[in-house]
Amino acid sequence: MEQKRAWLRAVQKTADRYLTPENGFNGRMSCRLAGCCYAEQSVTFAFETQRWQCNDRGEIHGGAIAGMFDTAFGVVAYITAGGPVTSTAELSVSFLRSVAYGTSVHVKVIVLKAGRSLIRQRAELTDAATGSLLAVAGGCWTILSH
């Protein structure tokens, strides 16, 4: 039970630290912690789409969606590594449906494997209102320091 409480505290503390408006790119992504599940070892983040993320068709640019995944994965990698610096080593995104400006989305991250030097993760981006699956991603994070 104490391990679960410690994990939940780490999730909240890391989200509070990295998802503040003054924290560069992550802060600009308008992301907040939406929930977590200790049993599943998953963390869900909520993103509000923003005008600056739009492409010329008025939909959210694929690069902005990749940025949402990268932000969410980075926070979870940091938590999983126990605080050392982590960095994106690989990121793969499959876009399934377009994301309209004004849509609130959720990114649910699950750690697949955490080793001594690499953390493998996968995630799903869904429409927060309908639950419709919009994109999926996978990636690998390198632990840079201990």
Side-chain angles (χ1 to χ4, degrees), residues 15-144:
D16 289 348
R17 178 177 176 202
Y18 282 97
L19 303 177
T20 61
E22 58 275 347
N23 192 359
F25 183 82
N26 290 339
R28 187 135 193 244
M29 292 302 292
S30 188
C31 177
R32 64 177 171 74
L33 180 63
C36 57
C37 176
Y38 178 75
E40 189 178 58
Q41 291 290 290
S42 68
V43 182
T44 302
F45 300 90
F47 290 86
E48 299 302 323
T49 58
Q50 301 168 71
R51 178 60 59 197
W52 69 267
Q53 296 170 325
C54 289
N55 60 24
D56 60 345
R57 292 184 314 277
E59 299 165 339
I60 303 305
H61 189 283
I65 292 169
M68 291 176 194
F69 280 119
D70 194 48
T71 293
F73 279 141
V75 172
V76 175
Y78 183 89
I79 294 162
T80 303
V85 174
T86 59
S87 180
T88 309
E90 177 184 344
L91 177 64
S92 173
V93 180
S94 294
F95 303 97
L96 306 174
R97 291 180 178 83
S98 62
V99 179
Y101 169 67
T103 303
S104 297
V105 296
H106 284 168
V107 173
K108 180 179 179 180
V109 177
I110 297 175
V111 175
L112 299 175
K113 182 169 180 15
R116 289 180 296 170
S117 61
L118 292 174
I119 300 167
R120 295 190 184 280
Q121 303 175 91
R122 69 175 169 84
E124 295 182 343
L125 182 133
T126 57
D127 183 311
T130 67
S132 178
L133 186 61
L134 305 171
V136 294
C140 193
W141 269 249
T142 302
I143 300 172
L144 299 176

